Amino acid sequence: GAVVSQHPSRVICKSGTSVKIECRSLDFQATTMFWYRQFPKQSLMLMATSNEGSKATYEQGVEKDKFLINHASLTLSTLTVTSAHPEDSSFYICSASRRGGGTDTQYFGPGTRLTVL
Amino acid sequence: DAKTTQPNSMESNEEEPVHLPCNHSTISGTDYIHWYRQLPSQGPEYVIHGLTSNVNNRMASLAIAEDRKSSTLILHRATLRDAAVYYCILRDNKFYFGSGTKLNVKP
């Protein structure tokens, strides 16, 4: 299957700092990438859709100024958590969309565990 | 967005088939049915997807009801590595995850 990577896999930061997470599609070009957040024992929550060369679209309730998304190329999207606070601690997962069989199949990265102290 | 309903958990014995149900009574004609699974602390893994006809691949089979209001993911011989949370998702544009079914496989 298609491969999507994330970096870093784990990050610990102090409250008030910003953290950047990278998402790369390694073997295909992805015009659309998605960012999710998952709290312990909960399901994935879609945060935003990242479109190459245009602004990201955010789901209701997600602060666009806090979660900055940049999709500068067809293989890379970044999520920056600005002024992180302990409540932002979560598992962040990206996915890249690849068209096939009449629909877009999403391939997910391995996730990034963010801990804000 | 059309929603899906899945049992919270299911249990299976190793080497036996597993049928994971999903109800999606408000599905629209353009929604594809996707199944993913997630192991702890990992990203979801694609399993299978379909629109109207039943589908088979090396991982599983997907049986779709004629009215498309329900579907069943079939693992033909469960192994311990199949223990995961299985998500049934209706895909028109974006993916919205429900709570999924946690599958426990007993040796």
Side-chain angles (χ1 to χ4, degrees):
Chain A
V3 179
V4 175
S5 70
Q6 282 184 240
H7 178 79
S9 59
R10 186 180 296 268
V11 58
I12 300 172
C13 69
K14 293 182 179 179
S15 186
T17 61
S18 295
V19 175
K20 180 186 283 188
I21 302 170
E22 293 185 349
C23 176
R24 294 180 184 273
S25 57
L26 298 182
D27 55 355
F28 67 99
Q29 292 183 332
T31 54
T32 305
M33 290 184 172
F34 301 87
W35 286 95
Y36 298 82
R37 182 167 54 180
Q38 185 174 34
F39 292 108
K41 299 191 184 302
Q42 294 187 23
S43 186
L44 284 77
M45 185 194 79
L46 179 65
M47 298 176 66
T49 303
S50 171
N51 301 296
E52 188 268 336
S54 64
K55 290 183 179 180
T57 55
Y58 291 81
E59 295 297 306
Q60 190 173 7
V62 178
E63 299 176 59
K64 63 179 181 180
D65 294 330
K66 181 168 182 63
F67 299 99
L68 301 179
I69 292 172
N70 186 292
H71 193 157
S73 76
L74 287 172
T75 59
L76 174 64
S77 175
T78 60
L79 168 69
T80 301
V81 182
T82 63
S83 186
H85 291 285
E87 57 264 31
D88 298 321
S89 298
S90 188
F91 192 49
Y92 292 85
I93 306 170
C94 73
S95 70
S97 187
R98 184 180 195 179
R99 178 163 287 275
T103 184
D104 292 347
T105 295
Q106 290 194 30
Y107 294 93
F108 289 81
T112 297
R113 177 78 58 191
L114 170 63
T115 302
V116 184
L117 302 177
Chain B
D1 302 291
K3 294 188 177 180
T4 62
T5 304
Q6 299 177 254
N8 288 334
S9 64
M10 290 185 66
E11 199 164 74
S12 169
N13 294 317
E14 198 175 12
E15 302 292 314
E16 291 185 356
V18 182
H19 291 231
L20 298 167
C22 181
N23 287 321
H24 29 78
S25 58
T26 59
I27 190 171
S28 73
T30 56
D31 285 337
Y32 279 77
I33 302 161
H34 287 248
W35 283 82
Y36 283 75
R37 69 182 185 183
Q38 185 181 26
L39 276 67
S41 296
Q42 296 187 25
E45 175 189 25
Y46 168 78
V47 178
I48 201 167
H49 77 277
L51 182 62
T52 56
S53 303
N54 294 343
V55 185
N56 301 296
N57 66 20
R58 63 175 180 81
M59 290 183 69
S61 295
L62 176 59
I64 301 173
E66 198 168 330
D67 62 6
R68 298 204 335 121
K69 293 185 177 182
S70 65
S71 61
T72 302
L73 178 71
I74 302 166
L75 306 179
H76 296 286
R77 290 179 65 194
T79 68
L80 296 178
R81 288 178 295 179
D82 291 324
V85 177
Y86 286 78
Y87 295 100
C88 165
I89 304 165
L90 300 184
R91 163 86 169 151
D92 182 29
N93 180 25
K94 302 177 184 178
F95 273 16
Y96 293 99
F97 283 76
S99 55
T101 297
K102 185 174 182 179
L103 175 66
N104 181 37
V105 180
K106 296 186 294 182

